[in-house]
Amino acid sequence: MANRRRNLSSVHPYVYASYEVGFDFGYVAVIDPVQDRIIERIRVGSVPGPMCMDPSEKKLYVINTREDSVSIIDLDTFKVLNTVHIGNPFVKFYPNSIFAAPKGNKIYVAQSDPGITIIDFLTDEVIKDVQLAGGINWPFAFAGNENSSFVYAACRSNDVIAISIDDDTVHPYTDGMELTFDGSRNPLAVHPDGHTQVTFGPAGMLTYFDEDSIGYSSTSSLLDNTVSGVYTDDKRLFCTMREDKNYLKVIGNLAIDKNGIVTHKSFADFPSYKGQDKIRLSRTQAYLGVTVQPTDSPLGGVQIIDLHEGYNHLVELPYVGDMAFFDDTKIYVGEGTSIRPIDVATATALPAIVLGVVTDRLKVNNIISGYSNQSLQ
């Protein structure tokens, strides 16, 4: 029997949107991307925000920001399996980011204590609360790779740390570099070979990682003024830029070796728009999507780039929130009280999927449709 909780024409997950109603009620909307309608509303905790899936895409993990907890949802039944509380009830921990390691069966939850809570996604129980020290605080973003033995975290103290997947030890590696993060976008990416970790920023940094050790770090002018980015499997690195720049940087096979030597195969600027925000790849990496916030124009939108043919389109929208691809066919964008589907092939905005009305004080926070090797800010 086909899994009735998956899309009928595909084994891929549905689209999930976390949203809040007032300050007391939180839900995850399950959207069928074939019919573009809500087929389920799952009650979770108060002010649900960032989400992630485990690598097998069988469970959805939802941060309940106001309640310092994580709701764990079975994606076959849409039932909440468990609610894991972060920290203790007498201290506010403000969880703000969540990530599933591509191996090792672990979920990482960033919170302000300062620290990171690690959950076993096989048992859905807390394994460890990792406390940060030495002035390192407020972790807010994660990245990983199946070929790396570490999970990487960026902190609002402008530090980066590597967490061993095997033994949960923490290894700071800022190495005196002057890093700067805005805290709203993920400044971390990992090369497909697992050895090069890229940290974006006004002055970006590359760090070499071996199987169980940290090597040299180095800056590169190629990463100047970058904000966030993604590696494709063919080793192209697409970088968003600070808001006054109207282009993306595309760097072929940017890497650092064990001797600290930085190399790359190619470099180009790709035309884009001021106000670049979220950057996402489609499931097969045929398309790249970049949300654009209004700057010179009263409208923002989503830039869709065909990575095979090289052409791109901007789909203009009056309000642009979070974004997720479904497969290679559609993009879903948060619009306050609704979700806006976009047909990727025709770059056409489709009728909005309404979650509620303005008087509900409703807000869409996060949208997801599949596993990601970066936390989705």
Side-chain angles (χ1 to χ4, degrees):
M1 177 181 288
N3 186 339
R4 70 187 183 93
R5 295 307 191 183
R6 302 279 172 124
N7 181 268
L8 295 179
S9 62
S10 167
V11 297
H12 300 157
Y14 285 113
V15 177
Y16 301 89
S18 63
Y19 67 98
E20 59 189 86
V21 180
F23 294 105
D24 298 317
F25 302 102
Y27 298 89
V28 172
V30 184
I31 298 170
D32 181 340
V34 174
Q35 303 181 60
D36 281 337
R37 67 182 183 89
I38 297 170
I39 60 172
E40 194 91 17
R41 296 176 192 258
I42 306 168
R43 178 74 181 271
V44 290
S46 179
V47 191
M51 300 183 288
C52 75
M53 289 185 189
D54 69 288
S56 65
E57 299 181 336
K58 294 181 179 179
K59 295 179 184 178
L60 180 68
Y61 293 78
V62 185
I63 287 180
N64 303 309
T65 306
R66 192 178 184 192
E67 296 180 2
D68 287 352
S69 67
V70 175
S71 293
I72 303 169
I73 299 170
D74 185 317
L75 295 185
D76 285 338
T77 65
F78 297 158
K79 302 298 184 183
V80 176
L81 297 172
N82 193 14
T83 299
V84 177
H85 291 275
I86 306 301
N88 66 69
F90 304 105
V91 179
K92 285 298 293 177
F93 283 76
Y94 301 103
N96 62 82
S97 183
I98 190 165
F99 175 70
K103 61 181 182 181
N105 304 327
K106 293 179 179 180
I107 302 288
Y108 297 79
V109 183
Q111 31 94 350
S112 65
D113 184 47
I116 294 170
T117 296
I118 304 176
I119 299 170
D120 185 320
F121 66 63
L122 296 180
T123 65
D124 294 332
E125 296 179 351
V126 172
I127 300 171
K128 187 174 183 178
D129 285 313
V130 177
Q131 300 300 305
L132 306 182
I136 300 174
N137 55 56
W138 278 92
F140 72 92
F142 296 102
N145 182 278
E146 62 183 5
N147 295 315
S148 175
S149 299
F150 298 90
V151 163
Y152 308 95
C155 303
R156 293 180 191 271
S157 55
N158 294 326
D159 294 287
V160 284
I161 59 173
I163 306 168
S164 170
I165 295 174
D166 290 335
D167 61 15
D168 305 325
T169 54
V170 175
H171 307 272
Y173 61 98
T174 306
D175 292 336
M177 304 284 186
E178 293 187 6
L179 303 176
T180 303
F181 306 133
D182 68 6
S184 64
R185 287 161 287 190
N186 192 330
L188 306 174
V190 184
H191 190 284
D193 69 10
H195 291 301
T196 296
Q197 188 277 312
V198 172
T199 304
F200 302 98
M205 180 178 77
L206 297 96
T207 306
Y208 180 83
F209 284 83
D210 216 333
E211 180 64 26
D212 57 1
S213 63
I214 304 174
Y216 289 102
S217 293
S218 179
T219 58
S220 172
S221 60
L222 294 172
L223 295 171
D224 286 356
N225 299 313
T226 56
V227 177
S228 188
V230 292
Y231 269 108
T232 57
D233 291 341
D234 63 5
K235 302 177 182 179
R236 285 181 291 173
L237 179 63
F238 289 83
C239 312
T240 58
M241 306 296 293
R242 69 187 192 192
E243 66 177 17
D244 61 335
K245 304 297 183 182
N246 61 355
Y247 57 88
L248 305 172
K249 286 185 177 182
V250 186
I251 311 170
N253 200 16
L254 178 65
I256 185 171
D257 67 18
K258 62 183 179 181
N259 297 313
I261 305 301
V262 176
T263 58
H264 69 285
K265 292 291 181 65
S266 60
F267 174 82
D269 292 338
F270 190 92
S272 186
Y273 302 87
K274 295 180 181 180
Q276 300 158 29
D277 192 8
K278 315 294 184 184
I279 181 169
R280 305 280 191 262
L281 283 166
S282 68
R283 181 172 285 267
T284 70
Q285 302 186 355
Y287 296 94
L288 182 77
V290 179
T291 60
V292 177
Q293 298 299 330
T295 51
D296 295 339
S297 166
L299 294 178
V302 178
Q303 182 180 14
I304 303 172
I305 302 170
D306 186 318
L307 295 184
H308 297 315
E309 303 297 332
Y311 66 80
N312 76 99
H313 300 279
L314 178 69
V315 180
E316 291 188 327
L317 299 170
Y319 183 94
V320 186
D322 198 21
M323 169 186 67
F325 274 93
F326 171 76
D327 209 350
D328 290 335
T329 58
K330 289 182 181 178
I331 292 174
Y332 290 81
V333 182
E335 285 190 326
T337 61
S338 62
I339 306 290
R340 176 71 63 176
I342 296 173
D343 184 282
V344 171
T346 63
T348 303
L350 303 174
I353 303 166
V354 178
L355 296 176
V357 296
V358 175
T359 54
D360 288 337
R361 291 161 59 194
L362 187 151
K363 179 185 176 186
V364 177
N365 291 323
N366 192 217
I367 308 174
I368 189 173
S369 181
Y371 175 76
S372 174
N373 59 13
Q374 296 167 296
S375 60
L376 303 177
Q377 309 306 106

